[in-house]
């Protein structure tokens, strides 16, 4: 079995510094906002796994359906010898790709969580002892360099995560991905598609309240890491479809007028009754829009696959 290599590009205190900066900026601006990456401590990750199993939350199942049915086509189209996955987490869905990529030499999972990378890497090596796994502890929005690995490369960004980025952030991100790749390398991108409002809102505001607990978990993270005194019960989870921008917004709405203290930042944050913190956007896409954004960043869209119900898409593009 090949050893698991782990390269850390983030300083040991990078996560704490980023949280401090995001909270200081986000809770003092109008309207208030926090980046969705702070949902995902251990509890938040468990809650998200529970969300993916809910009847109304279709994206994970839809994407897995496409991967199972199209992995052989992806392998044939790319001939990838290196697979890079951004935000790899447990690498669960990627296993279908790894199995199909018969010429694969190296898998490069990229994530901010070293423990998640180590666990997923060891599990993959147990199943594929011939594979080289070079895990990279990095924030894909902050810029990083890939290890030297054989080409052609296939870079996967799954889960519809690109929808959490604002349009200018998406453009910058796609340009940075292009800079990581050589001409002829490929990008596999997961995008959730525009559909009726009721289906979208139900996916982000389930009747069981799991998504509400997930949304409020960001407050628990701030309490634990920065000594804040948020009471999650003071806030109500809200999911809203923005028809003009074609994205879902998750928000936490104050149930009453209140004040929150964040001692680590020497910060006092007032909330009016009904005031909201935007905790996530989740943009939904159309094929022509994805093609345009990829083209502007230097990619040519070659394949477009959806699940049988047409809810979610995987696109395969080539770096020009």
């Amino acid at each position: 079995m090949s050893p698991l290599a782990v390269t850390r590009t983030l300083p040991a205190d990078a996560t704490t510094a980023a949280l401090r900066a995001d909270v200081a900026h986000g809770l003092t601006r109008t309207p208030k906002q926090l980046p969705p990456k702070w949902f995902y401590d251990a509890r938040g990750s468990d809650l998200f796994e529970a969300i993916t199993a809910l009847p109304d939350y279709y994206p994970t199942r839809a994407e897995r359906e496409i991967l199972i049915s199209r992995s052989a086509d992806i392998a044939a189209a790319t001939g990838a010898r290196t697979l890079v996955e951004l935000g790899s987490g447990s690498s669960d869905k990627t296993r279908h790709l790894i199995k199909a990529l018969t010429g694969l030499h190296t898998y490069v999972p990229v994530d901010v969580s070293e423990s998640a990378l180590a666990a997923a890497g060891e599990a993959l090596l147990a199943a594929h002892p011939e594979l080289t796994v070079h895990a990279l502890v990095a924030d894909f929005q902050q810029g990083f360099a890939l290890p030297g690995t054989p080409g052609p490369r296939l870079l996967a960004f799954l889960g519809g995560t690109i929808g959490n980025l604002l349009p200018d952030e998406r453009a910058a991100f796609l340009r940075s991905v292009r800079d990581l790749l050589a001409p002829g390398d490929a990008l596999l991108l997961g995008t959730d598609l525009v559909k009726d409002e009721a289906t979208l809102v139900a996916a982000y505001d389930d009747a069981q309240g799991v998504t509400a607990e997930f949304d409020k978990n960001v407050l628990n993270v701030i309490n634990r890491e920065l000594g804040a005194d948020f009471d999650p019960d003071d806030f109500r989870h809200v999911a809203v479809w923005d028809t003009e921008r074609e994205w879902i917004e998750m928000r936490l709405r104050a149930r009453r007028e209140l004040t929150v203290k964040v001692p680590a930042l020497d910060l006092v944050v007032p909330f009016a009754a009904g005031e909201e913190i935007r905790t996530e956007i989740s943009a939904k896409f159309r094929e022509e829009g994805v093609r345009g954004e990829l083209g502007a960043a230097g990619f040519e869209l070659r394949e477009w696959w959806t699940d049988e119900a047409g809810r979610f898409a995987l696109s395969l593009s080539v770096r020009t």
Side-chain angles (χ1 to χ4, degrees), residues 123-161:
L124 279 171
L125 284 173
H128 301 276
E130 76 288 350
L131 195 63
T132 296
V133 178
H134 191 140
L136 196 59
V137 184
D139 183 338
F140 62 76
Q141 282 190 266
Q142 300 302 316
F144 60 92
L146 291 173
T149 58
R153 286 172 166 172
L154 169 62
L155 189 146
F157 191 43
L158 303 176
T161 308

Side-chain angles (χ1 to χ4, degrees), residues 197 240-249 251 278:
E197 180 175 351
V240 179
W241 171 242
D242 187 319
T243 305
E244 181 180 349
R245 296 184 176 93
E246 295 191 322
W247 68 44
I248 283 279
E249 289 194 8
R251 306 171 185 169
R278 187 177 75 188

Side-chain angles (χ1 to χ4, degrees), residues 215-227:
D215 196 4
K216 292 181 183 183
N217 193 58
V218 71
L219 306 180
N220 297 324
V221 170
I222 296 170
N223 286 349
R224 184 182 64 244
E225 300 298 328
L226 301 179

Side-chain angles (χ1 to χ4, degrees), residues 33-45:
Q33 65 181 45
L34 293 167
K37 64 183 177 182
W38 300 119
F39 292 139
Y40 296 97
D41 63 353
R43 175 61 177 154
S45 296

Side-chain angles (χ1 to χ4, degrees), residues 52 129 172 178 189 221 247 259 271 276 283 286 289:
T52 65
R178 182 186 185 276
L189 183 65
V221 170
W247 68 44
T259 301
F271 285 87
E276 296 174 335
R286 303 176 189 270

Side-chain angles (χ1 to χ4, degrees), residues 70-276:
R70 295 296 184 177
S71 283
D73 296 330
I74 295 166
T78 63
R81 299 201 65 218
T82 293
L83 172 63
V84 180
E85 184 180 9
L86 303 185
S88 55
S90 66
S91 301
D92 178 56
K93 286 179 290 189
T94 325
R95 296 168 199 273
H96 302 294
L97 273 178
I98 291 172
K99 185 177 180 180
L101 290 165
T102 55
L104 189 66
H105 178 277
T106 304
Y107 173 54
V108 183
V110 182
D111 203 282
V112 295
S113 171
E114 187 167 351
S115 59
L117 286 170
E122 296 293 351
L124 279 171
L125 284 173
H128 301 276
E130 76 288 350
L131 195 63
T132 296
V133 178
H134 191 140
L136 196 59
V137 184
D139 183 338
F140 62 76
Q141 282 190 266
Q142 300 302 316
F144 60 92
L146 291 173
T149 58
R153 286 172 166 172
L154 169 62
L155 189 146
F157 191 43
L158 303 176
T161 308
I162 194 166
N164 296 146
L165 306 179
L166 293 165
D168 59 339
E169 294 172 333
R170 291 201 302 268
F173 167 75
L174 289 171
R175 289 193 300 269
S176 72
V177 169
R178 182 186 185 276
D179 291 342
L180 290 172
L181 302 176
D185 287 347
L187 167 64
L188 184 68
L189 183 65
T191 47
D192 196 7
L193 302 180
V194 174
K195 56 188 68 65
D196 67 281
E197 180 175 351
T199 298
L200 287 166
V201 171
Y204 291 85
D205 193 10
D206 62 279
Q208 296 92 323
V210 183
T211 309
E213 188 176 352
F214 174 70
D215 196 4
K216 292 181 183 183
N217 193 58
V218 71
L219 306 180
N220 297 324
V221 170
I222 296 170
N223 286 349
R224 184 182 64 244
E225 300 298 328
L226 301 179
D229 60 356
F230 277 106
D231 182 347
D233 290 339
D234 283 337
F235 293 83
R236 184 165 74 87
H237 165 70
V238 181
V240 179
W241 171 242
D242 187 319
T243 305
E244 181 180 349
R245 296 184 176 93
E246 295 191 322
W247 68 44
I248 283 279
E249 289 194 8
M250 293 208 319
R251 306 171 185 169
L252 291 173
R253 180 178 295 163
R255 296 178 183 272
R256 60 182 179 85
E257 184 178 347
L258 59 101
T259 301
V260 173
K261 299 181 179 65
V262 189
L265 302 177
D266 194 23
L267 186 65
V268 176
V269 186
F271 285 87
E275 188 175 359
E276 296 174 335

